[in-house]
Amino acid sequence: MQLVVARIGRAHGIKGEVTVEVRTDEPELRLGPGAVLATDPAATGPLTIESGRVHSGRLLLRFEGVRDRTGAEALRNTLLIAEVDPEEFPEDEEEFYDHQLIDLDVVLADGTEIGRITEISHLPSQDLFIVERPDGSEVMIPFVEEIVTEIDLEEQRAVITPPPGLIDESEAVVASSREEGTGEAASGDADEAPKGDA
């Protein structure tokens, strides 16, 4: 099974190094010297990592055969893809590969169904679950411990305790309106919200 482990950014210096946006919890395993990675677009690769180092909090990589800034710049925005055994699990029990999370049912602690994870979005600050609701709409759920309280791979579900407004926008409207003392107007706004989205 193939997993995207990084995206190449801009060239760094004049000797062929590039910055990379890491998309794996195990960069030392997936992005170490000697690793051979497939690429997207495929014509750019495969690429073999010659060396790597951290500079100002960013990972810099140099690939075999890339010796100057022009060659490094030509790799910008290329996705680096590692071959991973589908049965393999991350070393840390609190970490998961994307393919383990896709298609999990998302439920509240009381069992209420929220939807199904269709995609994992890796942002610089945090990861997001893209969850498809039963009605076909989507909701984004931050993959943080305070919200995602349990990942149960055997039961194929993720249990969440969302803050008000994350799942149901009308809850957020009512909460803010209550503070202003305009509860009546809030319910009207909540009724109108779905019409605007449709």
Side-chain angles (χ1 to χ4, degrees):
M1 150 168 274
Q2 295 189 318
L3 296 178
V4 174
V5 293
R7 184 180 68 84
I8 298 176
R10 66 181 189 279
H12 178 83
I14 59 172
K15 296 183 178 178
E17 284 185 312
V18 294
T19 61
V20 292
E21 173 193 313
V22 177
R23 296 190 181 179
T24 173
D25 291 326
E26 301 174 306
E28 64 288 338
L29 177 66
R30 306 288 176 211
L31 300 170
V36 180
L37 301 165
T39 59
D40 181 8
T44 306
L47 293 172
T48 302
I49 297 174
E50 185 174 285
S51 64
R53 65 188 178 99
V54 176
H55 174 74
S56 299
R58 295 213 67 161
L59 179 61
L60 303 179
L61 296 180
R62 180 180 288 130
F63 299 100
E64 288 183 6
V66 180
R67 291 281 171 260
D68 58 26
R69 187 176 184 87
T70 302
E73 196 61 43
L75 298 175
R76 184 184 273 208
N77 293 325
T78 297
L79 297 177
L80 299 175
I81 303 167
E83 192 67 42
V84 177
D85 182 341
E87 302 302 315
E88 183 182 328
F89 285 81
E91 292 179 10
D92 187 334
E93 292 181 7
E94 299 298 312
E95 294 177 356
F96 303 90
Y97 293 133
D98 287 6
H99 71 271
Q100 296 173 297
L101 301 171
I102 298 293
D103 285 335
L104 290 188
D105 292 322
V106 178
V107 297
L108 299 179
D110 65 5
T112 303
E113 181 186 355
I114 300 302
R116 181 179 60 88
I117 299 173
T118 57
E119 185 183 341
I120 314 294
S121 180
H122 299 281
L123 303 179
S125 57
Q126 67 190 14
D127 294 339
L128 290 175
F129 289 162
I130 310 301
V131 177
E132 184 177 312
R133 307 288 305 272
D135 65 4
S137 64
E138 286 187 340
V139 62
M140 291 183 284
I141 298 175
F143 187 17
V144 294
E145 198 173 345
E146 299 78 28
I147 297 174
V148 181
T149 57
E150 181 187 357
I151 298 289
D152 187 335
L153 295 180
E154 284 189 17
E155 294 292 325
Q156 286 289 289
R157 65 180 194 161
V159 180
I160 64 169
T161 54
L166 182 66
I167 303 300
D168 186 350
E169 289 181 17
S170 66
E171 290 179 11
V173 173
V174 171
S176 62
S177 299
R178 216 180 287 134
E179 290 171 9
E180 295 162 18
T182 56
E184 195 171 302
S187 62
D189 291 345
D191 291 341
E192 289 175 18
K195 295 175 192 165
D197 291 341

